[in-house]
Amino acid sequence: MENVIIVQSLNKSYGTKKAVNNLSFSVKKGEIFGIIGPNGAGKTTTIEIMEGLRKKDSGEVSILGMNPEKDRKVLNHRIGVQFQATSIQKKMKVKEALKLFAAIYNKSNTGDEMLKLLGLEEKMDTYFDDLSGGQKQRLTLALATLHEPEIIFLDEPSMGLDPHARREMWNIIRSLRDNGTTIVVTTHYMEEAEKLCDRVAMIYNGELRALDEPSRLVEDISAHFISFRSPDFPLAQLHQMAGVIKVEHDEELDAFKLYTEDLQSCSYLLFKIAQEENYHISDYKFERGTLDDLFVHYLQGGESA
Ligand SMILES: Nc1ncnc2c1ncn2[C@@H]1O[C@H](COP(=O)(O)OP(=O)(O)OP(=O)(O)O)[C@@H](O)[C@H]1O
C-alpha cells in the first residue's frame, strides 16, 4: 500500500528539551494510524510538524509527496486538521463556523452529509458555547473534513467524551477511513488505540518504542502473564523461575502477576514448585495482555522495540 506520510529521522528540541528524538515511521493510504504515548511524549509536536504548524530542527517529513513547511498552502487543501474546541469563538453559531471554514476552503457546500452523519443538522443555530462536549468535538471534526481532505489529523479526538460519545466518534472516524481517507490520530487512551487504530506507533521521550498493528503489539512476549494468588509462594523464588520476565506482587491480596515469554512452561514450573514445596495457589489464570500492559511495560522497562 502506498505511503502517504513519511517521517524520517525527525528531531525537535525546545531549548535543552528534546521533544522528538530521531523519529521515523510511515503512514499508509487509507489507514487509521495512532500515535500513542504518555503526557509529554512528543505526540502533539510530531503531529503539528506533520501539519506544517511547527518547524522541525532536522529530518525529513513528506506529506502526500510534499514538504509541509514549504508546501503548506497547497497541502492545506488536501489535509484536514481538527482544531481544539478552545480555538472556536464561543458566540459563533454552528452554521457560521461551517460557512467560515467553507469560505476558507473555497467550498460552496457546508458538508451536509457529514453534518447528518455527525448529528449536527439540528444544531445549526446553536452557539458553539451551548453545544455539549461531544457535539463540540463532532463540530471540530466536521470543520476538519469539510473540504474532503485526503489525510485528517486528529489530536486527542475523544478527549473529554463519555464512553458512548467516544464510540460514536470512533464510528465516524472509521467511516471516513472506509471512504478512503487516511487518518492520523494521537491518543493516550489505550482502548482507543486498540479498538480504533489499524496500526499504532508508541512514543516515549520523543523516541519510537514500538510500531505495529495493536493486536500484534500485544502479542509481544511481555504482554502475556499468569495471575494467581498465593499466601506462601516466596517472591524471590518467582523471580528466579526460568522464563519469567517480571513479577508483580500485591501484598494485601496475596496476588501475583508473572510476565513470561512462554505461558505453558512457566505454568508447568509454577505448579511443579508449588507441588514440591507445598505452596498454595488459587485464582490461577492465563491472561493476554492489552496495550495498557504493553504501555506500562515499555514505560517501566524502557526497552526499545
Ligand atoms: N512550545 C514549547 N516550548 C517548550 N517546551 C515545549 C513546547 N511544546 C512542548 N514542549 C515540551 O516538549 C515535550 C513534548 O510535548 P508534546 O506536547 O509534544 O507532548 P505530548 O505527547 O503531546 O503530550 P500531551 O499528551 O501532554 O499533550 C514536553 O516535555 C513539553 O513540555
Side-chain angles (χ1 to χ4, degrees):
M1 186 95 57
E2 179 195 343
N3 285 327
V4 286
I5 297 177
I6 301 168
V7 172
Q8 226 157 14
S9 310
L10 181 65
N11 287 288
K12 172 77 183 176
S13 295
Y14 301 106
T16 53
K17 171 78 198 168
K18 214 160 181 18
V20 176
N21 191 358
N22 201 27
L23 195 60
S24 299
F25 60 84
S26 48
V27 179
K28 295 175 194 159
K29 184 173 166 31
E31 71 174 341
I32 301 176
F33 186 87
I35 300 178
I36 63 177
N39 290 337
K43 305 181 294 291
T44 302
T45 302
T46 305
I47 203 167
E48 289 188 351
I49 290 172
M50 290 192 275
E51 293 163 350
L53 298 175
R54 238 175 244 247
K55 283 198 164 168
K56 61 182 190 295
D57 293 341
S58 64
E60 299 299 325
V61 178
S62 159
I63 309 290
L64 295 165
M66 286 181 268
N67 176 332
E69 277 177 34
K70 293 194 183 126
D71 307 318
R72 199 169 152 207
K73 278 197 174 154
V74 184
L75 271 175
N76 276 347
H77 289 268
R78 296 182 64 187
I79 67 169
V81 174
Q82 186 183 25
F83 290 101
Q84 299 296 324
T86 46
S87 57
I88 296 180
Q89 285 183 26
K90 291 178 181 171
K91 287 293 166 201
M92 188 180 263
K93 288 181 177 169
V94 168
K95 67 179 177 195
E96 291 167 347
L98 289 162
K99 271 193 191 148
L100 177 69
F101 274 68
I104 292 172
Y105 292 121
N106 278 331
K107 290 272 169 189
S108 51
N109 76 58
T110 45
D112 292 345
E113 269 188 36
M114 193 61 189
L115 287 181
K116 214 183 277 175
L117 187 67
L118 294 169
L120 288 172
E121 296 159 296
E122 315 289 308
K123 297 286 170 191
M124 295 299 263
D125 284 310
T126 307
Y127 287 115
F128 184 73
D129 207 28
D130 295 333
L131 296 174
S132 71
Q135 289 163 344
K136 282 180 183 161
Q137 289 285 68
R138 279 182 272 148
L139 177 62
T140 56
L141 183 61
L143 297 174
T145 56
L146 200 69
H147 54 303
E148 296 168 20
E150 292 156 68
I151 303 175
I152 301 175
F153 294 96
L154 307 172
D155 198 357
E156 302 277 356
S158 55
M159 176 96 96
L161 298 187
D162 64 46
H164 175 69
R166 187 171 300 164
R167 275 170 177 72
E168 275 187 354
M169 179 63 82
W170 294 349
N171 284 336
I172 293 162
I173 295 171
R174 284 189 193 110
S175 71
L176 287 165
R177 185 260 326 264
D178 295 344
N179 285 332
T181 313
T182 306
I183 323 265
V184 178
V185 53
T186 70
T187 183
H188 62 259
Y189 294 117
M190 290 305 119
E191 192 199 355
E192 178 160 277
E194 211 163 339
K195 297 207 171 130
L196 177 68
C197 299
D198 297 310
R199 288 192 309 146
V200 291
M202 188 179 282
I203 59 175
Y204 182 54
N205 272 341
E207 290 174 21
L208 184 71
R209 288 292 161 95
L211 194 166
D212 213 328
E213 293 166 21
S215 60
R216 290 176 64 164
L217 280 181
V218 296
E219 284 288 316
D220 184 282
I221 46 166
S222 52
H224 297 297
F225 53 86
I226 293 164
S227 64
F228 63 95
R229 287 189 192 202
S230 174
D232 47 15
F233 212 120
L235 185 60
Q237 211 162 344
L238 291 170
H239 276 294
Q240 284 161 9
M241 258 172 57
V244 169
I245 295 170
K246 192 174 74 171
V247 184
E248 282 173 10
H249 182 210
D250 183 331
E251 274 183 66
E252 264 178 48
L253 298 175
D254 286 333
F256 293 90
K257 257 186 181 182
L258 296 188
Y259 290 78
T260 177
E261 287 180 33
D262 186 341
L263 288 173
Q264 191 168 318
S265 56
C266 194
S267 303
Y268 170 75
L269 212 55
L270 179 76
F271 281 103
K272 185 169 175 281
I273 296 171
Q275 186 74 10
E276 286 167 2
E277 308 285 341
N278 204 23
Y279 301 144
H280 299 87
I281 288 181
S282 62
D283 292 345
Y284 167 87
K285 57 182 183 245
F286 275 166
E287 292 192 42
R288 227 179 98 97
T290 63
L291 266 190
D292 258 330
D293 298 306
L294 188 70
F295 194 64
V296 171
H297 166 76
Y298 277 119
L299 297 199
Q300 285 178 344
E303 301 100 303
S304 289

